[in-house]
Amino acid sequence: MYQEWKNYNISQAFDYTCRVNSSNEALVSGDVRLTYPELQRKVFELAHGLRTLGIGKGSRIGVIMPNSTEWACLCLALFRLGAVIIPLNLTWTGRELAQSLELTDAEVLVTIDSFRGTNYVDSLMETFPELANAGRDRVFLGQHPNLTQFVTLSREGIQYPFSHDYHALVALGGDYRAEEMLALADEVSPADECLCLPTSGTTGFPKPVTHTHSSLMSNCSNFADAIEFTASDRMLNFGATYHIAGFLLLVIPFLRGGTMHQMEWFDPESALGIIEKERITTIWGFAIHYLMMKRHVHFGAYSIKSLERTLVGSDPSYYEEIRSMGLEFHGNIYGCSEYLSNLFPYRDRFDEKHMRLSHGRPVDSVEQKIANTDTGETLGFNEIGEICVKGPGLFKDYYKMPDLTASVMDADGFFHTGDLGSMDEKGYTYYRGRLKDIVKTGGENVSAREVEMFLEGETPWVTIAQVFGVPDSTWGEAVTATVQVKTDTTVSEDELRSFCRGKLAGYKIPKRFLFVGQSDWVVTPTGKLDKTAMRERALVLLGIEETLLT
């Protein structure tokens, strides 16, 4: 293990890579191809330009950008300046953006003006009417006093009176001195904050997770080591820029001198084409990304033989189909915004049983325990409880939420993830769903994930299942499953229930099944199935009023 996180901040590690891998391509995005020295010069230009706005150590910068060259340069420039990046969800409304900007005390907002049909400038103008008469040097927003400057990236060259122009700042920074830019990195401590990430939860408004250079570097270097990423590797990155995975995928190649190939949004056939053309060796994705490629009508027209190592957010029910793509290594991940703690390492690839069934094992320096959800007592091997972790990659805190931070930490310094799972004698972890993803039915507690995994992994019909509770006057909540069956198969509700009998306790067997097709699933922008939305659909289809619960 290289252990960069113990001694370096992100910029120092990047500068080292630029020095020792100067002939390697660092970044490929569309028609743009940059070597490490070329990327470093772009970062220096932007960093120098941003300094003219007063951005420096501790500055808090909101960012609304897709996965692009400009985004990569901006992140690397802000890391160098010692600023804190606040990545904002590209799908949020103006109201949601304003809430998050206020919650995180953003001082500057850097945004693309429009992307994939959404005009962010229009949304901001509607949310902040003061912008109509504002100048670019200092903006006064009555209810958001911290937010005083805007920077806009316009690919059509549009200028906005209230905002500084991204390209103009790059041009302004063209007279940088390399020695000064390199020295800036030395002014940033590994312990300094670098990321304030509003989490991508689907059940409530996000909590801002704070990471330092050291904690983010620990996560990234551990994952780079676990997949044995080297300077000859080429990673395809379509991760969301407002998700912890987006930053993991940004940093990993730049630690090892490999190449990052960017996609601004995921399209399965485009991804297949890039993998073939660029001989991609490593990708990350949720199961849905792999399945979309595998099930694409033109999948067989592309060669993906170069793809050796995968990072997968998945579960055992999808293993065989993903493996049928020709992918020998299935690097399953377990983690969250607070800690990317577990990964199935490349060196374990010959242990197919654990590769298929587990969510990896704790990476270097991670301590993990499984705790009783009622008493907090540490459980034994193969007992299901709450997954708890600690180590150098753990987040610093929830920004300005000390009580909430304290509530998820125990006296021994372990972070309580809110996830159910177990751990075997070898340390392999088995995720079994959210602690709160419990259906309370007839006085019994049912783990929704347990039932989902049974339906997906044990029945001969179901390929995808989402289980939740719906209001029921008899049971309080009735276990309900939305399922997609395999192509060319049919099954009835009664047949599914009959199959479950004797294999699941009676109270765990879904009382209702709803059948959907592949196009009916609602997926979050980060690639996860949106159970909240699917449950809301089910309530409408079943004609159930939520008030039955109260």
Side-chain angles (χ1 to χ4, degrees), residues 499-520:
F499 186 90
C500 294
R501 292 190 186 103
K503 303 178 184 70
L504 287 176
Y507 65 88
K508 296 180 183 179
I509 299 173
K511 293 179 172 57
R512 299 182 180 93
F513 286 92
L514 299 174
F515 296 93
V516 299
Q518 184 174 339
S519 62
D520 296 320

Side-chain angles (χ1 to χ4, degrees), residues 17 219 269 367 460:
T17 300
N219 284 291
E269 187 165 17
E367 293 183 58

Side-chain angles (χ1 to χ4, degrees), residues 3-212:
Q3 297 187 326
E4 297 97 335
W5 57 270
K6 287 190 174 182
N7 303 302
Y8 298 107
N9 61 48
I10 295 168
S11 297
Q12 289 169 326
F14 174 68
D15 291 341
Y16 175 84
T17 300
C18 291
R19 182 176 181 180
V20 301
N21 297 105
S22 59
S23 62
N24 284 15
E25 279 190 320
L27 184 149
V28 178
S29 183
D31 295 330
V32 176
R33 307 187 79 94
L34 299 172
T35 64
Y36 273 94
E38 289 169 341
L39 176 58
Q40 188 180 46
R41 285 195 290 273
K42 284 187 172 292
V43 172
F44 287 174
E45 288 173 347
L46 181 56
H48 193 45
L50 291 170
R51 291 177 80 193
T52 66
L53 303 184
I55 294 175
K57 192 171 181 179
S59 297
R60 304 183 66 80
I61 315 300
V63 177
I64 307 172
M65 275 201 189
N67 197 335
S68 58
T69 305
E70 297 93 345
W71 174 74
C73 290
L74 177 64
C75 291
L76 292 171
L78 292 173
F79 288 147
R80 183 168 301 274
L81 295 173
V84 179
I85 299 171
I86 304 165
L88 301 172
N89 194 313
L90 284 158
T91 68
W92 279 344
T93 64
R95 177 177 173 274
E96 291 167 322
L97 291 170
Q99 287 177 324
S100 196
L101 289 165
E102 183 177 10
L103 186 67
T104 57
D105 289 334
E107 302 163 69
V108 180
L109 176 61
V110 184
T111 181
I112 193 166
D113 59 352
S114 63
F115 179 66
R116 300 195 74 194
T118 298
N119 191 305
Y120 297 100
V121 170
D122 285 350
S123 182
L124 291 169
M125 294 283 287
E126 182 178 345
T127 304
F128 304 120
E130 300 97 324
L131 293 179
N133 299 310
R136 63 173 54 92
D137 291 332
R138 187 171 180 83
V139 174
F140 295 94
L141 304 176
Q143 295 184 1
H144 298 80
N146 292 312
L147 184 58
T148 59
Q149 293 187 94
F150 290 76
V151 177
T152 305
L153 167 65
S154 174
R155 291 171 174 172
E156 288 74 39
I158 302 172
Q159 300 284 322
Y160 299 95
F162 67 87
S163 177
H164 296 275
D165 179 69
Y166 180 99
H167 295 297
L169 289 174
V170 172
L172 191 62
D175 63 348
Y176 72 85
R177 293 176 55 249
E179 298 81 6
E180 185 179 5
M181 290 295 106
L182 290 168
L184 279 175
D186 297 331
E187 297 176 12
V188 179
S189 166
D192 287 340
E193 296 175 8
C194 68
L195 186 63
C196 184
L197 182 76
T199 55
S200 60
T202 56
T203 57
F205 199 76
K207 308 179 293 287
V209 172
T210 301
H211 275 284
T212 65

Side-chain angles (χ1 to χ4, degrees), residues 45 111 130 146 161 248 300 325 394 402 431 440 443 453 504 526:
E45 288 173 347
T111 181
E130 300 97 324
N146 292 312
L248 176 78
M325 297 172 69
L394 188 62
Y431 171 69
K440 297 180 181 295
M453 293 183 67
L504 287 176
T526 55

Side-chain angles (χ1 to χ4, degrees), residues 217-389:
M217 285 274 284
S218 174
N219 284 291
C220 295
S221 60
N222 278 329
F223 271 47
D225 286 328
I227 62 171
E228 301 181 24
F229 195 90
T230 71
S232 63
D233 279 308
R234 309 182 78 86
M235 175 180 280
L236 179 58
N237 177 3
F238 44 78
T241 57
Y242 45 86
H243 190 281
I244 188 64
F247 287 87
L248 176 78
L249 302 177
L250 171 71
V251 175
I252 283 178
F254 299 157
L255 294 181
R256 299 291 184 264
T259 306
M260 178 176 68
H261 292 256
Q262 293 178 297
M263 292 182 69
E264 293 197 347
W265 69 89
F266 179 75
D267 173 78
E269 187 165 17
S270 296
L272 290 167
I274 293 172
I275 294 169
E276 179 182 67
K277 178 183 176 183
E278 301 287 353
R279 299 194 59 74
I280 300 296
T281 60
T282 306
I283 62 172
W284 164 92
F286 289 110
I288 190 68
H289 296 117
Y290 293 90
L291 298 179
M292 287 173 71
M293 288 190 285
K294 174 63 173 65
R295 296 170 183 175
H296 195 277
V297 65
H298 295 145
F299 172 74
Y302 295 92
S303 171
I304 61 170
K305 292 180 179 178
S306 62
L307 201 53
E308 299 172 346
R309 280 150 287 156
T310 62
L311 295 166
V312 188
S314 183
D315 62 57
S317 60
Y318 302 119
Y319 177 81
E320 292 299 339
E321 186 169 2
I322 294 174
R323 189 172 177 82
S324 72
M325 297 172 69
L327 303 177
E328 296 296 323
F329 173 65
H330 191 107
N332 218 343
I333 295 170
Y334 166 74
C336 52
S337 298
E338 292 86 349
Y339 208 151
L340 290 166
S341 57
N342 284 250
L343 173 65
F344 191 87
Y346 186 59
R347 67 196 61 210
D348 289 2
R349 63 193 179 278
F350 301 113
D351 183 354
E352 188 172 354
K353 176 183 175 182
H354 283 106
M355 185 163 61
R356 177 170 60 88
L357 296 175
S358 80
H359 291 84
R361 51 189 173 91
V363 294
D364 189 69
S365 301
V366 173
E367 293 183 58
Q368 180 172 287
K369 67 179 181 180
I370 307 298
N372 183 291
T373 57
D374 294 321
T375 67
E377 176 187 359
T378 300
L379 298 176
F381 296 126
N382 303 309
E383 293 186 272
I384 294 179
E386 185 176 13
I387 301 172
C388 306
V389 292

